[in-house]
Amino acid sequence: MIEPRLKIATCSLAGCFGCHMSLLDLDERLFELADRVELNRSPLTDIKELGECDLGLIEGGVANVENVHVLLEFRARCKILIAMGACALNGGIPAMRNQFTLRECLEESYLRGVGLVNAQIPNDPEIPLLLNQVHPVHEVVKIDYFLPGCPPSADAIWTFVNQLLSGQPIALSYTQIHYD
Amino acid sequence: MAESSTLAQTIREIVQRHGGMSTRLLQILREVQDHFTWLPPETLDQVAEALGVSPDKVRNVAEFYSFLYTEPRGFYDILFSDNITDRMLGSRELLHYLCERLDMEINTTRADGLVSVGTTSCTGMCDQGPAALVNGYALTRLDKPRLDRIVDLVNSRTPLTEWPREFFEVTSNIRRADILLGRHFADGAALRAVLKRGPEAILEEMVKSGLRGQGGAGFKSAAKWISCRGAPGDVKYVVCNADEGEPGTFKDRVLMQDFADLVFEGMTLCGRVIGARQGFVYLRGEYRYLLEALKATLLRRREVGLLGEAILGDPGFQFDIDIHMGAGAYVCGEESALIESLEGKHGVPRIRPPFPTTHGYLNKPTVVNNVETFAAAAKIAVEGGAWFASRGTAESKGTKLLSLSGDCERPGIYEYPFGVTVRRVLEDCGARDAQGIQMAGPAGHMISARQFDRRICFEDLATGGSFMVFDQSRDILDGIRNFTHFFVHESCGFCTPCRVGTSLMRDLVTKVHTGHGTRADLEEMRKLGRIMQVACHCGLGQTAPNPVLDSLDQFPESWERRLRSTAYEPAFDLNAALEEARRLTGRDDPGAYLSGQDLLIGAMP
């Protein structure tokens, strides 16, 4: 008898996709993973609508209104939500803009940048509005697990997902969570 | 060129005055800053060169202490004491008022470079606040008329020496005296006793007395002295911890102001008993105003043969005392961090053991005691251990000085035998409507009216002396939030659980305090608090969650009435966070807003 496969969704908010690259670094272990889980909405699939999932992995922090929508939807549809990587945990590199006002950031990019023609701050409704500051995901929704690293190594992700799927307590070895 | 050689000359002179010793680095930097109003990079390089240490080491120290500035400050540097007791007395309103009158923002230096205004941790004037420091000197009893005059004095560039004396007046407010403050003490009596009876006999009296560390930790003082006396080595030190940084505590300030002779006598006695010839008083920077008087007292004691060479005519009895000034670092109240600071380094707690009694100042055996402990020791040498032990409880002998502040009619210093009930103290100080007490400062414990029959002693409520009263009109959470900010500011940054933990705790408390919290956040606070208690390197981080954890137990209603009913809420107003972008882009379409419906989705667990 085949056990029903657990459903996993992933997304990258204000991140660099580095955590997803690390996920791909699972290499041949991806086959084993594919036997046990079914990938729902994710940059790795072409599924547009998020279905009901067991696990949601969130890369990146919350920088704009679209990030908020995606994150809220993940919270609503995923039984367990995981913040993956430095940006999701702390805001990371994108949060470096928090030292400046949004006005300063946009003016620097769109009004004072080198080689700009017809300089203006973009206001097309298609473009998601930016939040005043970049926030870690746990400041917007409840997060069940935090997986640190920039990015977390494939080994760390593998250990974490395996332990979670098999119902064991999460225990990463020192070498999987130290970064110097 | 001429300018830079004058600078080098000035710094060389300062360094020479301190004997070119790198242990004096903090003292040297304080003086250099007094001269230049801040520490420009070239001064740090010059100090490094003159001392023969690396520029990095000097920069490290300069950047560690709050009162050392590596960026320009105003000619007048005004720092409001930001303890909750100052806030209760209206300090925040006064701070805004002053900035408005000076036409400047808080935490900035005015464009003309004349004045800076900001805040600092508790300056120990809780019984006579709202308080501030101007160029390091304590200002008390601030009110609007006083600030109006200060604005004029600043704008007219009047030197500090010509400001009205009453602005700087610090009163002792001793409301209740017992054996320590109440009985006359003849200078030199304790030293005569040790010369007559010998160090062993004095140690026996100390053992009998049961005296315990009055800073709050309560380690048996005699055990410290015996261990240090028995430690190998000829060179030993006595250190008096007058870095009274626990918010709400000011009893050491009163002892140093009114009973300095008694404290110095206790230190000298200790020197004789353990075989040390050098003592240090580590005086917190906030008590800078005491320095001249203390130096004069030391000088007088040398002149009358109570300090220096051949004390009381005995050529074998040498002991002298130096005063080291701190520079605004709460963590230096921890004895091993204090020793690091005394050695001229930034104040990070050492790993213990080894303890200071064997490896202290310059790795030599050292006794570090609190101001009050030395004062009590001097009395015990004269009056005997049994006399002292006749007061107090089984495990806590003698008396304790309490610093009372907050919502009471008569704030000030109260000396009680150990074992006094909280209720009795509240009656004596005229606190009729108390809702809760923050005992022993933010690092101590918060207790509610249900616990007012508890007793102040090591068996029950241990304290270093801070006693802040909150009456029924107060929101306990205002105090808790203030304390979490205090710990973020004072964490030395050495260990992650404290550096990060204090910030996370502040953010969680702020989230609930501003009405964004849910029950999940309270649980998270408890979890974080437990981690900090076990994982932090020193007492600062281990005790930092106390006010939060205590109030969750003692004042659950204060927390719960702020909670949202959903399972989880964002930490900030999501829609408001789009406001600036809406303004910048001029957008007003539906996509430019987050509706309540959107947010409901995420609130589900």
Side-chain angles (χ1 to χ4, degrees), chain B residues 377-409:
Chain B
K379 289 251 167 163
I380 290 164
V382 177
E383 311 265 1
W387 166 82
F388 186 81
S390 68
R391 298 237 164 216
T393 66
E395 295 297 322
S396 318
K397 303 297 188 191
T399 63
K400 183 81 201 89
L401 299 187
L402 299 179
S403 314
L404 261 92
S405 63
D407 296 312
C408 62
E409 285 165 15

PDB file of all heavy atoms in Angstrom, chain B residues 377-409:
ATOM      1  N   ALA B 377      31.512  46.240  57.536  1.00  0.00           N
ATOM      2  CA  ALA B 377      32.695  45.550  58.049  1.00  0.00           C
ATOM      3  C   ALA B 377      33.442  46.441  59.046  1.00  0.00           C
ATOM      4  O   ALA B 377      33.925  45.970  60.092  1.00  0.00           O
ATOM      5  CB  ALA B 377      33.605  45.143  56.898  1.00  0.00           C
ATOM      6  N   ALA B 378      33.542  47.738  58.752  1.00  0.00           N
ATOM      7  CA  ALA B 378      34.239  48.657  59.656  1.00  0.00           C
ATOM      8  C   ALA B 378      33.530  48.692  61.007  1.00  0.00           C
ATOM      9  O   ALA B 378      34.172  48.660  62.070  1.00  0.00           O
ATOM     10  CB  ALA B 378      34.296  50.056  59.038  1.00  0.00           C
ATOM     11  N   LYS B 379      32.211  48.710  60.969  1.00  0.00           N
ATOM     12  CA  LYS B 379      31.442  48.741  62.214  1.00  0.00           C
ATOM     13  C   LYS B 379      31.633  47.434  62.999  1.00  0.00           C
ATOM     14  O   LYS B 379      31.738  47.439  64.222  1.00  0.00           O
ATOM     15  CB  LYS B 379      29.960  48.923  61.902  1.00  0.00           C
ATOM     16  CG  LYS B 379      29.622  50.309  61.396  1.00  0.00           C
ATOM     17  CD  LYS B 379      28.855  51.070  62.445  1.00  0.00           C
ATOM     18  CE  LYS B 379      28.781  52.540  62.084  1.00  0.00           C
ATOM     19  NZ  LYS B 379      27.741  53.281  62.811  1.00  0.00           N
ATOM     20  N   ILE B 380      31.643  46.318  62.268  1.00  0.00           N
ATOM     21  CA  ILE B 380      31.769  45.013  62.923  1.00  0.00           C
ATOM     22  C   ILE B 380      33.119  44.906  63.642  1.00  0.00           C
ATOM     23  O   ILE B 380      33.210  44.372  64.745  1.00  0.00           O
ATOM     24  CB  ILE B 380      31.594  43.879  61.891  1.00  0.00           C
ATOM     25  CG1 ILE B 380      30.125  43.833  61.444  1.00  0.00           C
ATOM     26  CG2 ILE B 380      32.036  42.529  62.441  1.00  0.00           C
ATOM     27  CD1 ILE B 380      29.884  43.041  60.169  1.00  0.00           C
ATOM     28  N   ALA B 381      34.168  45.466  63.012  1.00  0.00           N
ATOM     29  CA  ALA B 381      35.496  45.402  63.627  1.00  0.00           C
ATOM     30  C   ALA B 381      35.485  46.114  64.984  1.00  0.00           C
ATOM     31  O   ALA B 381      36.216  45.740  65.904  1.00  0.00           O
ATOM     32  CB  ALA B 381      36.535  46.037  62.698  1.00  0.00           C
ATOM     33  N   VAL B 382      34.683  47.144  65.103  1.00  0.00           N
ATOM     34  CA  VAL B 382      34.655  47.927  66.336  1.00  0.00           C
ATOM     35  C   VAL B 382      33.678  47.327  67.344  1.00  0.00           C
ATOM     36  O   VAL B 382      34.001  47.145  68.523  1.00  0.00           O
ATOM     37  CB  VAL B 382      34.265  49.394  66.031  1.00  0.00           C
ATOM     38  CG1 VAL B 382      34.153  50.188  67.320  1.00  0.00           C
ATOM     39  CG2 VAL B 382      35.278  50.018  65.087  1.00  0.00           C
ATOM     40  N   GLU B 383      32.482  47.013  66.861  1.00  0.00           N
ATOM     41  CA  GLU B 383      31.413  46.634  67.791  1.00  0.00           C
ATOM     42  C   GLU B 383      31.318  45.115  68.002  1.00  0.00           C
ATOM     43  O   GLU B 383      30.626  44.674  68.920  1.00  0.00           O
ATOM     44  CB  GLU B 383      30.073  47.139  67.262  1.00  0.00           C
ATOM     45  CG  GLU B 383      30.065  48.602  66.850  1.00  0.00           C
ATOM     46  CD  GLU B 383      29.571  49.527  67.955  1.00  0.00           C
ATOM     47  OE1 GLU B 383      29.254  49.028  69.047  1.00  0.00           O
ATOM     48  OE2 GLU B 383      29.503  50.746  67.706  1.00  0.00           O
ATOM     49  N   GLY B 384      31.935  44.356  67.122  1.00  0.00           N
ATOM     50  CA  GLY B 384      31.918  42.909  67.284  1.00  0.00           C
ATOM     51  C   GLY B 384      30.868  42.227  66.426  1.00  0.00           C
ATOM     52  O   GLY B 384      29.836  42.817  66.094  1.00  0.00           O
ATOM     53  N   GLY B 385      31.149  40.964  66.079  1.00  0.00           N
ATOM     54  CA  GLY B 385      30.262  40.205  65.207  1.00  0.00           C
ATOM     55  C   GLY B 385      28.925  39.903  65.867  1.00  0.00           C
ATOM     56  O   GLY B 385      27.874  39.939  65.231  1.00  0.00           O
ATOM     57  N   ALA B 386      28.960  39.623  67.182  1.00  0.00           N
ATOM     58  CA  ALA B 386      27.723  39.258  67.886  1.00  0.00           C
ATOM     59  C   ALA B 386      26.752  40.430  67.890  1.00  0.00           C
ATOM     60  O   ALA B 386      25.539  40.249  67.719  1.00  0.00           O
ATOM     61  CB  ALA B 386      28.040  38.837  69.305  1.00  0.00           C
ATOM     62  N   TRP B 387      27.298  41.612  68.042  1.00  0.00           N
ATOM     63  CA  TRP B 387      26.478  42.832  68.040  1.00  0.00           C
ATOM     64  C   TRP B 387      25.720  42.954  66.709  1.00  0.00           C
ATOM     65  O   TRP B 387      24.528  43.201  66.689  1.00  0.00           O
ATOM     66  CB  TRP B 387      27.404  44.035  68.255  1.00  0.00           C
ATOM     67  CG  TRP B 387      26.788  45.362  67.944  1.00  0.00           C
ATOM     68  CD1 TRP B 387      25.988  46.103  68.750  1.00  0.00           C
ATOM     69  CD2 TRP B 387      26.954  46.121  66.747  1.00  0.00           C
ATOM     70  NE1 TRP B 387      25.637  47.267  68.125  1.00  0.00           N
ATOM     71  CE2 TRP B 387      26.211  47.318  66.884  1.00  0.00           C
ATOM     72  CE3 TRP B 387      27.662  45.911  65.554  1.00  0.00           C
ATOM     73  CZ2 TRP B 387      26.140  48.283  65.893  1.00  0.00           C
ATOM     74  CZ3 TRP B 387      27.600  46.874  64.566  1.00  0.00           C
ATOM     75  CH2 TRP B 387      26.853  48.054  64.727  1.00  0.00           C
ATOM     76  N   PHE B 388      26.444  42.713  65.635  1.00  0.00           N
ATOM     77  CA  PHE B 388      25.839  42.845  64.311  1.00  0.00           C
ATOM     78  C   PHE B 388      24.798  41.744  64.104  1.00  0.00           C
ATOM     79  O   PHE B 388      23.700  41.987  63.610  1.00  0.00           O
ATOM     80  CB  PHE B 388      26.940  42.751  63.245  1.00  0.00           C
ATOM     81  CG  PHE B 388      26.480  43.022  61.843  1.00  0.00           C
ATOM     82  CD1 PHE B 388      26.317  44.321  61.386  1.00  0.00           C
ATOM     83  CD2 PHE B 388      26.228  41.977  60.961  1.00  0.00           C
ATOM     84  CE1 PHE B 388      25.900  44.578  60.088  1.00  0.00           C
ATOM     85  CE2 PHE B 388      25.819  42.229  59.652  1.00  0.00           C
ATOM     86  CZ  PHE B 388      25.652  43.536  59.216  1.00  0.00           C
ATOM     87  N   ALA B 389      25.165  40.523  64.537  1.00  0.00           N
ATOM     88  CA  ALA B 389      24.304  39.366  64.290  1.00  0.00           C
ATOM     89  C   ALA B 389      23.054  39.376  65.152  1.00  0.00           C
ATOM     90  O   ALA B 389      22.129  38.594  64.927  1.00  0.00           O
ATOM     91  CB  ALA B 389      25.081  38.071  64.512  1.00  0.00           C
ATOM     92  N   SER B 390      23.013  40.268  66.150  1.00  0.00           N
ATOM     93  CA  SER B 390      21.822  40.332  67.002  1.00  0.00           C
ATOM     94  C   SER B 390      20.630  40.894  66.226  1.00  0.00           C
ATOM     95  O   SER B 390      19.499  40.790  66.653  1.00  0.00           O
ATOM     96  CB  SER B 390      22.096  41.181  68.243  1.00  0.00           C
ATOM     97  OG  SER B 390      22.265  42.544  67.865  1.00  0.00           O
ATOM     98  N   ARG B 391      20.903  41.495  65.091  1.00  0.00           N
ATOM     99  CA  ARG B 391      19.817  42.000  64.250  1.00  0.00           C
ATOM    100  C   ARG B 391      19.601  41.039  63.081  1.00  0.00           C
ATOM    101  O   ARG B 391      20.496  40.287  62.718  1.00  0.00           O
ATOM    102  CB  ARG B 391      20.202  43.363  63.660  1.00  0.00           C
ATOM    103  CG  ARG B 391      20.429  44.412  64.686  1.00  0.00           C
ATOM    104  CD  ARG B 391      19.518  45.570  64.400  1.00  0.00           C
ATOM    105  NE  ARG B 391      19.417  46.440  65.549  1.00  0.00           N
ATOM    106  CZ  ARG B 391      18.293  47.055  65.867  1.00  0.00           C
ATOM    107  NH1 ARG B 391      17.233  46.892  65.143  1.00  0.00           N
ATOM    108  NH2 ARG B 391      18.253  47.854  66.900  1.00  0.00           N
ATOM    109  N   GLY B 392      18.445  41.100  62.503  1.00  0.00           N
ATOM    110  CA  GLY B 392      18.205  40.330  61.278  1.00  0.00           C
ATOM    111  C   GLY B 392      17.590  38.974  61.535  1.00  0.00           C
ATOM    112  O   GLY B 392      17.029  38.717  62.599  1.00  0.00           O
ATOM    113  N   THR B 393      17.717  38.074  60.531  1.00  0.00           N
ATOM    114  CA  THR B 393      17.108  36.745  60.595  1.00  0.00           C
ATOM    115  C   THR B 393      18.197  35.688  60.657  1.00  0.00           C
ATOM    116  O   THR B 393      19.389  36.023  60.688  1.00  0.00           O
ATOM    117  CB  THR B 393      16.268  36.486  59.331  1.00  0.00           C
ATOM    118  OG1 THR B 393      17.159  36.428  58.214  1.00  0.00           O
ATOM    119  CG2 THR B 393      15.252  37.597  59.104  1.00  0.00           C
ATOM    120  N   ALA B 394      17.792  34.415  60.655  1.00  0.00           N
ATOM    121  CA  ALA B 394      18.763  33.333  60.812  1.00  0.00           C
ATOM    122  C   ALA B 394      19.838  33.371  59.731  1.00  0.00           C
ATOM    123  O   ALA B 394      21.025  33.214  59.999  1.00  0.00           O
ATOM    124  CB  ALA B 394      18.031  31.997  60.782  1.00  0.00           C
ATOM    125  N   GLU B 395      19.430  33.593  58.501  1.00  0.00           N
ATOM    126  CA  GLU B 395      20.390  33.539  57.394  1.00  0.00           C
ATOM    127  C   GLU B 395      20.831  34.915  56.911  1.00  0.00           C
ATOM    128  O   GLU B 395      21.722  35.015  56.068  1.00  0.00           O
ATOM    129  CB  GLU B 395      19.766  32.785  56.205  1.00  0.00           C
ATOM    130  CG  GLU B 395      19.478  31.320  56.454  1.00  0.00           C
ATOM    131  CD  GLU B 395      20.739  30.531  56.739  1.00  0.00           C
ATOM    132  OE1 GLU B 395      21.771  30.813  56.103  1.00  0.00           O
ATOM    133  OE2 GLU B 395      20.696  29.660  57.635  1.00  0.00           O
ATOM    134  N   SER B 396      20.192  35.956  57.396  1.00  0.00           N
ATOM    135  CA  SER B 396      20.516  37.317  56.934  1.00  0.00           C
ATOM    136  C   SER B 396      20.711  38.207  58.149  1.00  0.00           C
ATOM    137  O   SER B 396      19.749  38.689  58.739  1.00  0.00           O
ATOM    138  CB  SER B 396      19.378  37.884  56.081  1.00  0.00           C
ATOM    139  OG  SER B 396      18.868  36.902  55.208  1.00  0.00           O
ATOM    140  N   LYS B 397      21.978  38.361  58.532  1.00  0.00           N
ATOM    141  CA  LYS B 397      22.264  39.121  59.750  1.00  0.00           C
ATOM    142  C   LYS B 397      22.392  40.608  59.431  1.00  0.00           C
ATOM    143  O   LYS B 397      22.770  41.004  58.341  1.00  0.00           O
ATOM    144  CB  LYS B 397      23.563  38.623  60.379  1.00  0.00           C
ATOM    145  CG  LYS B 397      23.564  37.149  60.713  1.00  0.00           C
ATOM    146  CD  LYS B 397      22.505  36.808  61.751  1.00  0.00           C
ATOM    147  CE  LYS B 397      22.663  35.365  62.224  1.00  0.00           C
ATOM    148  NZ  LYS B 397      21.497  34.952  63.025  1.00  0.00           N
ATOM    149  N   GLY B 398      22.111  41.387  60.486  1.00  0.00           N
ATOM    150  CA  GLY B 398      22.363  42.821  60.370  1.00  0.00           C
ATOM    151  C   GLY B 398      21.230  43.565  59.696  1.00  0.00           C
ATOM    152  O   GLY B 398      20.063  43.153  59.765  1.00  0.00           O
ATOM    153  N   THR B 399      21.600  44.642  59.037  1.00  0.00           N
ATOM    154  CA  THR B 399      20.581  45.512  58.442  1.00  0.00           C
ATOM    155  C   THR B 399      20.810  45.658  56.945  1.00  0.00           C
ATOM    156  O   THR B 399      21.841  45.253  56.419  1.00  0.00           O
ATOM    157  CB  THR B 399      20.633  46.919  59.060  1.00  0.00           C
ATOM    158  OG1 THR B 399      21.898  47.511  58.750  1.00  0.00           O
ATOM    159  CG2 THR B 399      20.419  46.873  60.560  1.00  0.00           C
ATOM    160  N   LYS B 400      19.821  46.274  56.284  1.00  0.00           N
ATOM    161  CA  LYS B 400      19.920  46.516  54.837  1.00  0.00           C
ATOM    162  C   LYS B 400      19.436  47.923  54.548  1.00  0.00           C
ATOM    163  O   LYS B 400      18.431  48.364  55.084  1.00  0.00           O
ATOM    164  CB  LYS B 400      19.008  45.504  54.102  1.00  0.00           C
ATOM    165  CG  LYS B 400      19.072  45.612  52.595  1.00  0.00           C
ATOM    166  CD  LYS B 400      20.288  44.900  52.041  1.00  0.00           C
ATOM    167  CE  LYS B 400      20.671  45.393  50.665  1.00  0.00           C
ATOM    168  NZ  LYS B 400      21.611  46.526  50.641  1.00  0.00           N
ATOM    169  N   LEU B 401      20.176  48.597  53.699  1.00  0.00           N
ATOM    170  CA  LEU B 401      19.735  49.911  53.239  1.00  0.00           C
ATOM    171  C   LEU B 401      18.832  49.721  52.026  1.00  0.00           C
ATOM    172  O   LEU B 401      19.212  49.059  51.056  1.00  0.00           O
ATOM    173  CB  LEU B 401      20.922  50.787  52.835  1.00  0.00           C
ATOM    174  CG  LEU B 401      21.956  51.112  53.900  1.00  0.00           C
ATOM    175  CD1 LEU B 401      22.958  52.126  53.354  1.00  0.00           C
ATOM    176  CD2 LEU B 401      21.299  51.664  55.147  1.00  0.00           C
ATOM    177  N   LEU B 402      17.654  50.287  52.089  1.00  0.00           N
ATOM    178  CA  LEU B 402      16.743  50.241  50.950  1.00  0.00           C
ATOM    179  C   LEU B 402      16.657  51.626  50.322  1.00  0.00           C
ATOM    180  O   LEU B 402      16.623  52.634  51.021  1.00  0.00           O
ATOM    181  CB  LEU B 402      15.350  49.810  51.402  1.00  0.00           C
ATOM    182  CG  LEU B 402      15.229  48.425  52.046  1.00  0.00           C
ATOM    183  CD1 LEU B 402      13.785  48.163  52.456  1.00  0.00           C
ATOM    184  CD2 LEU B 402      15.718  47.331  51.106  1.00  0.00           C
ATOM    185  N   SER B 403      16.632  51.649  48.993  1.00  0.00           N
ATOM    186  CA  SER B 403      16.457  52.905  48.257  1.00  0.00           C
ATOM    187  C   SER B 403      15.017  52.930  47.773  1.00  0.00           C
ATOM    188  O   SER B 403      14.657  52.182  46.864  1.00  0.00           O
ATOM    189  CB  SER B 403      17.391  52.956  47.051  1.00  0.00           C
ATOM    190  OG  SER B 403      18.698  52.551  47.397  1.00  0.00           O
ATOM    191  N   LEU B 404      14.194  53.769  48.386  1.00  0.00           N
ATOM    192  CA  LEU B 404      12.781  53.812  48.027  1.00  0.00           C
ATOM    193  C   LEU B 404      12.468  54.926  47.054  1.00  0.00           C
ATOM    194  O   LEU B 404      12.867  56.070  47.258  1.00  0.00           O
ATOM    195  CB  LEU B 404      11.934  53.986  49.293  1.00  0.00           C
ATOM    196  CG  LEU B 404      11.378  52.646  49.743  1.00  0.00           C
ATOM    197  CD1 LEU B 404      12.309  51.994  50.720  1.00  0.00           C
ATOM    198  CD2 LEU B 404       9.995  52.814  50.289  1.00  0.00           C
ATOM    199  N   SER B 405      11.729  54.553  46.019  1.00  0.00           N
ATOM    200  CA  SER B 405      11.334  55.578  45.062  1.00  0.00           C
ATOM    201  C   SER B 405      10.034  55.151  44.399  1.00  0.00           C
ATOM    202  O   SER B 405       9.504  54.081  44.681  1.00  0.00           O
ATOM    203  CB  SER B 405      12.427  55.789  44.013  1.00  0.00           C
ATOM    204  OG  SER B 405      12.615  54.605  43.270  1.00  0.00           O
ATOM    205  N   GLY B 406       9.520  55.998  43.546  1.00  0.00           N
ATOM    206  CA  GLY B 406       8.251  55.708  42.885  1.00  0.00           C
ATOM    207  C   GLY B 406       7.103  56.354  43.643  1.00  0.00           C
ATOM    208  O   GLY B 406       7.256  57.444  44.201  1.00  0.00           O
ATOM    209  N   ASP B 407       5.962  55.650  43.658  1.00  0.00           N
ATOM    210  CA  ASP B 407       4.752  56.249  44.229  1.00  0.00           C
ATOM    211  C   ASP B 407       4.694  56.128  45.746  1.00  0.00           C
ATOM    212  O   ASP B 407       4.016  55.262  46.290  1.00  0.00           O
ATOM    213  CB  ASP B 407       3.523  55.579  43.605  1.00  0.00           C
ATOM    214  CG  ASP B 407       3.436  55.858  42.110  1.00  0.00           C
ATOM    215  OD1 ASP B 407       3.578  57.030  41.729  1.00  0.00           O
ATOM    216  OD2 ASP B 407       3.240  54.906  41.330  1.00  0.00           O
ATOM    217  N   CYS B 408       5.411  56.994  46.436  1.00  0.00           N
ATOM    218  CA  CYS B 408       5.329  57.041  47.890  1.00  0.00           C
ATOM    219  C   CYS B 408       5.561  58.487  48.334  1.00  0.00           C
ATOM    220  O   CYS B 408       6.165  59.271  47.604  1.00  0.00           O
ATOM    221  CB  CYS B 408       6.332  56.096  48.539  1.00  0.00           C
ATOM    222  SG  CYS B 408       8.045  56.462  48.188  1.00  0.00           S
ATOM    223  N   GLU B 409       5.078  58.795  49.542  1.00  0.00           N
ATOM    224  CA  GLU B 409       5.180  60.186  49.994  1.00  0.00           C
ATOM    225  C   GLU B 409       6.591  60.564  50.398  1.00  0.00           C
ATOM    226  O   GLU B 409       6.990  61.716  50.284  1.00  0.00           O
ATOM    227  CB  GLU B 409       4.231  60.409  51.185  1.00  0.00           C
ATOM    228  CG  GLU B 409       2.771  60.489  50.767  1.00  0.00           C
ATOM    229  CD  GLU B 409       1.827  60.346  51.957  1.00  0.00           C
ATOM    230  OE1 GLU B 409       2.289  60.471  53.125  1.00  0.00           O
ATOM    231  OE2 GLU B 409       0.634  60.117  51.717  1.00  0.00           O
TER     232      GLU B 409
END
